[in-house]
Amino acid sequence: GTAWTTISATVNSARQYVAAAGTTTAAVIAGGQIPPPYTAYALCESFNGTAWSVANVLNQNRKFPRGNGTQTAAAAYGGNSAPPTSIYDDTELFDGTSWATSANMATPRDQFGSAVTAPQMTALAVGGETPSSTDATEELALSDTVETITST
């Protein structure tokens, strides 16, 4: 990449501090804050390379989460409520349709750095606020095994 290019697609709800995952032709964003009155949201949108569409929401309203993975296998973790009365340690997984809860982080945090591999099999959460600054580093390692449960 040598330059950024503006595209005509805009999200349905302008907001800041979202989690994002995917590629330039298949992405998902979730959470975020819409100021004022600085309220955290669970909103989720999916991108097909041309347009954004509304998707099923997160289970938890949050701003400053981190995200990784693909449009059909994404993770959103950490973040806080707005105003920041609660800092979260929970992780949610997106299968392209809906969000489900997963393993909690050891250190609840927001505004942290992250490094990821796609799909969402591994991620690092580094530093952040707990509400004071932290030097904690954690790795999220998820199984790539999907089990199908059939009820008769």
Side-chain angles (χ1 to χ4, degrees):
T2 58
W4 289 91
T5 303
T6 301
I7 61 175
S8 61
T10 58
V11 294
N12 293 289
S13 291
R15 58 195 184 276
Q16 36 186 227
Y17 314 130
V18 300
T23 67
T24 58
T25 58
V28 62
I29 61 169
Q33 168 184 282
I34 301 173
Y38 304 103
T39 301
Y41 287 91
L43 302 172
C44 179
E45 297 185 40
S46 183
F47 184 64
N48 65 8
T50 304
W52 289 94
S53 59
V54 174
N56 287 323
V57 299
L58 290 164
N59 294 299
Q60 176 70 53
N61 292 340
R62 64 179 80 210
K63 67 176 186 171
F64 290 117
R66 293 297 180 253
N68 67 289
T70 67
Q71 185 183 51
T72 58
Y77 42 98
N80 72 41
S81 59
T85 54
S86 298
I87 296 178
Y88 302 127
D89 62 359
D90 59 321
T91 300
E92 296 187 42
L93 303 179
F94 186 65
D95 63 8
T97 303
S98 59
W99 292 90
T101 58
S102 184
N104 288 348
M105 301 170 71
T107 304
R109 64 180 87 190
D110 66 4
Q111 302 187 54
F112 56 96
S114 64
V116 299
T117 61
Q120 89 278 17
M121 296 303 123
T122 60
L124 287 179
V126 182
E129 292 183 344
T130 63
S132 60
S133 295
T134 180
D135 60 1
T137 300
E138 297 181 52
E139 178 181 17
L140 171 66
L142 300 172
S143 169
D144 61 355
T145 303
V146 176
E147 293 183 36
T148 303
I149 300 172
T150 306
S151 177
T152 57

